[in-house]
Every structure is written in structure tokens, then in C-alpha cells.
Amino acid sequence: MTVRAHLIALGIVALTLTALALGYHNAFILNLVFAGLIFAVLGQSWNWISGYAGQISFGHALFFGCGAYASALFAARHGSPWLALPAGAAVAAILALLVGFPCFALRGHYFSIATIAVAAIAEIAATNLAALGKANGFEMPILAPGIATLQFSDKGHYVLVALALFVFAQLATLGLERSRLGFYLRAIRLNQEAAASVGVDARAAKLTTYAACGALAALAGSLYAQQALYVGPEDTLGLPISIAIALVGVVGGLSTVWGPALGALVYVALARYGGALLGGQGHGLDLLLYGGLILVIVSWRPDGLAGIGRSIRRALERREARAAP
Amino acid sequence: MSAPLLEVRGLAKRFGSLRALDGVDLTVPHGGLTALIGPNGAGKTTAFGCIAGAQRPSGGSIRFEGIEIAGAAYHRVARLGLVRTYQVVQPFAEMTVLDAVTVGALLRRPRVASARDFAATTIDALGLGAKSATIARSLTIADKKRLELARALATEPRLLLLDEVMAGLTPTECAAAVELLRTIVARGITIVMVEHVMEVLMPLADHVVVLATGRVIFDGSPSDAVNDPGVIEAYLGRP
């Protein structure tokens, strides 16, 4: 797709969702759209480091939780949640640098394992630290609704805020693909040694990307907390959240601009409808389903839904070419 | 400038008890083409790996334009202007020729648009222009080697280490490659090349260094090299 085509697609999505947010007042659907947008942003963040840079993360909830807790802490102390956005993003970026610095010196799966471990440590820490509300987490105070407090009485307004972040993430990804860093990440993924031979500092490129990922996922976490008005360790830092983010990235298609958005669509539909169908609490069985889905996609179509879309387009083009000799 | 471009002293590389390089001395002046030759297993590729920074030497000193680079990170050495190509080509398999060369060009041109332009010029100069949209994986071996060279040249190096760029080429392709190397040298880029095709090397090289079992056994002009009893013995054995 050309930049123009991407921008047109993004414009159509943004306009449609804006119209939906302002004109449609079904809270259930608007909550789904909000969740979808938040997961699309989280999936995009995951896509930067695990798709473009090829470093699979299984601990993305760490950054999501960072942003969520920052939001909760600032709101609980009656500070503006707007300060929580940069604060959570900065903490997440620093954590990313701390995790990435030792791991990116190594090849192989060390990074993936470290991401699981660090997210697990963060979850345990949040469960036990009084300052972070222990296992109960935070009930956030209800503030006067409005853009200053990022709390809204109208669900549609949450969708608009999440939509703004989603549009930003999409534009940033388009920019990344066409930047020096984007070229370097592709080169590193394809052949790290050859990349280094022409002057690419692989570790610096991965660290930069990972820090940006952390910041983006934290922003999504902050918005989520403002909407949920509750932040707890399991809900924001748990392994199931990390798996869900990875699922969103993998299902839609790695290293594509629209993959995470497609993945988020599938995930939200599965989580809300599938999760309910699979009975009771939706715990356990739905995770099995996601795990199975990741396996099927990885072994059958590693390029995900975006790749399937591309194949269909090519098949249609071939058919047209045959039809008009 | 009085200091040589590259000055290697006592370069050593051990793999366990094997001494792949056992005190190699090598001086490369500014400009021209130096040939590094020697029988299989002499340590030529290992020497390239250590000089370019891909491998960490076990000992010795490597000075590039007066700067000590022994043990420096691979990408840092490339930034200083010393770039190598691989004997076994290492393409970015899924990239187009233009994108792969752009990765090299981005070293000196951070803006993608100008790096792309420079990459396109480099590709044209190497006669790959018609294939700039081809995916690297599907190139012929001769074109892959050319791509490897284009990617390295796009970084605008001052010293280029070429590891068997002629191997596997047909005689016609070889002749084209010789012309190409002459134009690169004429542009002021110094070349050190490992090569087995002697009849290609002899008229091209200004200076020949012969390695055998990790040591330099000859350093001088091409015509003297072919008559040196030590060199003949290293290649053919003692009569």
C-alpha cells in the first residue's frame, strides 16, 4: 500500500468511529470499540519490537500496567491525569531500556524469557507494595467529567480519546516503516551480522524501538485506567494480558501497519463473545483458545490476516489478468 | 599523510589451541589494491574478520588511519570507513536490491530520500540498475556478489576488504568485475582483496601479501610473489 492509501484508510476508520462515538449510544458496543482501540494500540506497540525488530515480547503487560498505575496514582492524589500520561510513558521507557540493555547483547530467546520474568516480578511487586494498593489495587476517585480529568460520563468520549491515540500509533508506524530506523530494523531482522558490517548498531536500534514501545503501551494503559476506574495487578500486569497483546500482534500479521488493528478486532470479538460462550468466568478455556489460535496462525499463516488479505488480492489480480488476455 | 591507511602488528587469533592467526603484520598504504593470498586455511578470512571487527582478535594491534580498532564493535569500524564483504554472500534476502543498498547508504545519509538516491546511483554504477526492484534472494550468484559490493560501497568507505568477490563467476563476469574494481580504486577507495584467481589478481594488484598457516610469508610486488620459493612451497609443497 502507498502512503496515500494508508492515509485514506486511516481517515475512513477515524471518521467512521468518530460518527459512531458521537451518534451511537449503546454502552456495550462503545465499550467494545474502546477495548478494540486500546488493544490495537497495544498490538501496534508489540508489533514495533516483535514484528519490525523481530524480538518477541511475552511481557508487554509490564508497560500497560505502568501506564495504568501511573494514571491511578495521579488521579488518587488528585493530580491531573494528563501528568500521568508522560510520567507513565517515561517510567515504561526507562524499564524498557533496563530490560533491553542486557538482553539485546544476546541472541536467541533470552529477551522473550526476560520479558516474561520482568512482567511477573512487576505483578508480584504490585500485589505486595502498599504504595501500589497491594492485591486490591486502586479504586480511582470519580472526578468531574471533562477533558481536564480524562473522565467522561459519555462512553463515546472515551472512544474519541482512544481513537486519537490509535491514529497517532498508526501514523507513527507509517513513519517508522519509511525511516532510517525502519530500514535498520528490517536489516537486523534479516541478517544482523550483515547489518553490522555496514555500520548498523543493532543494539541501539532495538533499544530505541523498545523504549518507544514501552511509552506507547503505557499511554494505552493510562487511557484504559481512566475508563475502567479500577487498576489491579491481575487486570493490568497479568500474563494473560501479555498473551492477549501478543495474540493481537500475531493474528493480524507481523510487521504490517494494519495487522494489529485487524488482530484487535478478532481478539475483542473472541474475548467478549467467545469468552462468554465458553462459559462462566471465561477464565482458562478462552486462554486455551488463544494459545491454539497463535499456534495455528504461526504454523499455517505466519503473516496473519494481513497476509491472507494480500494473497486474496493477488489471486483476484491473477484471475483478472487471465480473464483479459 | 605519512601514516599508512591500515597498519596491523602482531595480529593473533586463537580458537582453542589452534592458532588461526599467529602474529600477522600487514601495512596497507593509501590508495591502490593490495591482494591477500594464501592456500586454504591460511587465515585470510579470519584476518578480514578481525580487522573489520566481526571477530575479536586474541592479540595484536590494528590501526586504521592512526586509530586503534582492535576489538572495537563491528558497526563502529564500519562507521570509521572500513567495510568488508563476505566470502559467502550475506544478503538481506527478503529486501529488494534498492532497499538493501539503501541500508548501506543510510550510514552517511540519515535522510531516507537522499540515501535512496545515492543507493540508486551506486546500483547503476555497478550495472545492477535493471534489477533494483528484484528481491535479493532471487538474484544469480554473480549479481548477489555485486549487490554485496554495492551495499558496502554505498557506505562510502575509505578501505574496502573484499573476500573472494570473483569466486564462482564466469570469465566474462570476471572481466567485468576487474573493470569495476579498477574504477573503484580510481575513485580513491583503497582495496584489500582475498582472491584465488591468480591471473585476475596479478595485473590488478599493486602489492601482494601471502599468508600461510597464520603467518605472513611474503610481502612485495606481484611479479616477485610468483617467483618466491617460499610462496611456491606454500602452495605446491616441497619438491
Side-chain angles (χ1 to χ4, degrees):
Chain A
M1 272 166 100
T2 61
V3 180
R4 213 181 130 87
H6 277 297
L7 291 179
I8 290 172
L10 187 57
I12 292 171
V13 170
L15 282 177
T16 311
L17 290 182
T18 306
L20 189 80
L22 294 176
Y24 192 69
H25 296 292
N26 182 331
F28 178 74
I29 296 294
L30 288 178
N31 275 343
L32 275 190
V33 173
F34 176 80
L37 287 169
I38 291 292
F39 268 102
V41 172
L42 290 170
Q44 193 63 276
S45 156
W46 186 86
N47 188 31
W48 288 356
I49 190 69
S50 303
Y52 290 103
Q55 304 292 307
I56 305 295
S57 157
F58 285 121
H60 241 57
L62 173 67
F63 306 131
F64 179 65
C66 253
Y69 271 93
S71 236
L73 283 170
F74 274 78
R77 283 170 185 43
H78 294 281
S80 160
W82 284 97
L83 285 176
L85 295 179
V91 171
I94 291 166
L95 277 176
L97 293 177
L98 290 176
V99 176
F101 191 78
C103 291
F104 292 145
L106 306 164
R107 306 263 178 104
H109 302 301
Y110 298 101
F111 172 74
S112 303
I113 295 165
T115 56
I116 300 177
V118 175
I121 292 168
E123 189 186 354
I124 294 167
T127 311
N128 290 288
L129 282 175
L132 295 180
K134 294 202 169 182
N136 289 332
F138 282 103
E139 295 271 2
M140 287 164 63
I142 313 279
L143 305 171
I147 193 79
T149 56
L150 277 178
Q151 289 187 13
F152 305 103
S153 46
D154 187 341
K155 293 283 178 204
H157 293 166
Y158 282 113
V159 170
L160 290 181
V161 175
L163 180 62
L165 184 63
F166 171 73
V167 169
F168 166 76
Q170 292 302 94
L171 292 176
T173 308
L174 273 176
L176 173 70
E177 277 195 346
R178 283 152 186 82
S179 71
R180 164 144 99 161
L181 182 60
F183 271 88
Y184 277 7
L185 292 180
R186 270 170 74 210
I188 292 165
R189 201 175 68 227
L190 292 170
N191 192 332
Q192 182 162 332
E193 184 161 341
S197 81
V198 289
V200 177
D201 184 347
R203 198 190 203 181
K206 288 179 196 167
L207 275 176
T208 310
T209 310
Y210 196 39
C213 274
L216 179 63
L219 291 176
S222 293
L223 295 188
Y224 162 83
Q226 293 298 325
Q227 193 256 5
L229 293 176
Y230 166 75
V231 172
E234 208 185 325
D235 299 52
T236 60
L237 290 164
L239 185 62
I241 308 281
S242 292
I243 300 289
I245 296 172
L247 175 80
V248 166
V250 170
V251 167
L254 293 168
S255 356
T256 58
V257 174
W258 289 96
L262 291 173
L265 205 65
V266 171
Y267 170 72
V268 168
L270 272 182
R272 294 298 147 101
Y273 294 102
L277 272 182
L278 285 173
Q281 310 304 312
H283 257 78
L285 264 186
D286 56 337
L287 291 182
L288 266 179
L289 178 71
Y290 305 153
L293 203 60
I294 290 184
L295 280 179
V296 168
I297 297 264
V298 167
S299 55
W300 179 60
R301 275 318 287 242
D303 47 359
L305 291 177
I308 293 173
R310 226 174 297 149
S311 304
I312 292 173
R313 210 167 59 220
R314 280 199 203 119
L316 288 177
E317 279 166 11
R318 270 200 300 275
R319 176 177 289 189
E320 273 171 33
R322 264 205 303 275
Chain B
M1 268 179 268
S2 54
L5 183 61
L6 180 73
E7 196 170 21
V8 177
R9 289 290 166 264
L11 183 64
K13 178 70 186 174
R14 287 182 290 274
F15 297 103
S17 62
L18 174 76
R19 290 163 185 271
L21 298 176
D22 194 7
V24 169
D25 293 338
L26 176 69
T27 303
V28 178
H30 288 267
L33 190 147
T34 298
L36 182 62
I37 64 172
N40 286 329
K44 304 179 296 287
T45 296
T46 306
F48 268 18
C50 288
I51 294 169
Q55 288 166 282
R56 184 175 282 275
S58 316
S61 128
I62 305 165
R63 297 178 84 81
F64 176 64
E65 296 189 315
I67 302 167
E68 180 63 50
I69 56 165
Y74 202 3
H75 63 89
R76 276 205 49 228
V77 176
R79 279 180 197 183
L80 289 172
L82 195 172
V83 175
R84 61 90 71 100
T85 66
Y86 285 87
Q87 180 179 7
V88 180
V89 289
Q90 301 282 330
F92 301 128
E94 307 298 323
M95 279 195 198
T96 64
V97 168
L98 180 61
D99 281 357
V101 179
T102 302
V103 172
L106 281 165
L107 181 61
R108 310 273 176 228
R109 293 151 211 272
R111 286 195 50 248
V112 171
S114 66
R116 215 167 241 291
D117 289 345
F118 186 68
T121 319
T122 311
I123 291 168
D124 281 342
L126 265 65
L128 268 175
K131 299 193 173 111
S132 75
T134 308
I135 301 290
R137 182 166 28 89
S138 51
L139 292 175
T140 63
I141 184 72
D143 284 342
K144 276 184 186 152
K145 297 215 162 191
R146 243 187 267 192
L147 169 59
E148 184 107 350
L149 188 54
R151 193 176 64 194
L153 275 176
T155 67
E156 297 179 84
R158 281 189 292 282
L159 176 60
L160 201 51
L161 307 182
L162 303 179
D163 201 347
E164 297 202 24
V165 279
M166 310 272 193
L169 302 193
T170 65
T172 337
E173 289 165 342
C174 249
V178 167
E179 276 322 299
L180 197 60
L181 294 181
R182 282 192 208 281
T183 53
I184 293 170
V185 171
R187 274 167 51 190
I189 297 170
T190 309
I191 294 180
V192 177
M193 66 187 293
V194 164
E195 197 49 80
H196 280 304
V197 191
M198 296 300 261
E199 63 267 36
V200 168
L201 264 187
M202 287 306 146
L204 201 58
D206 303 294
H207 176 200
V208 173
V209 175
V210 184
L211 265 185
T213 58
R215 288 167 197 266
V216 173
I217 58 164
F218 176 87
D219 189 335
S221 73
S223 49
D224 289 347
V226 288
N227 297 317
D228 186 86
V231 174
I232 294 169
E233 188 190 318
Y235 269 92
L236 302 175
R238 203 182 286 273

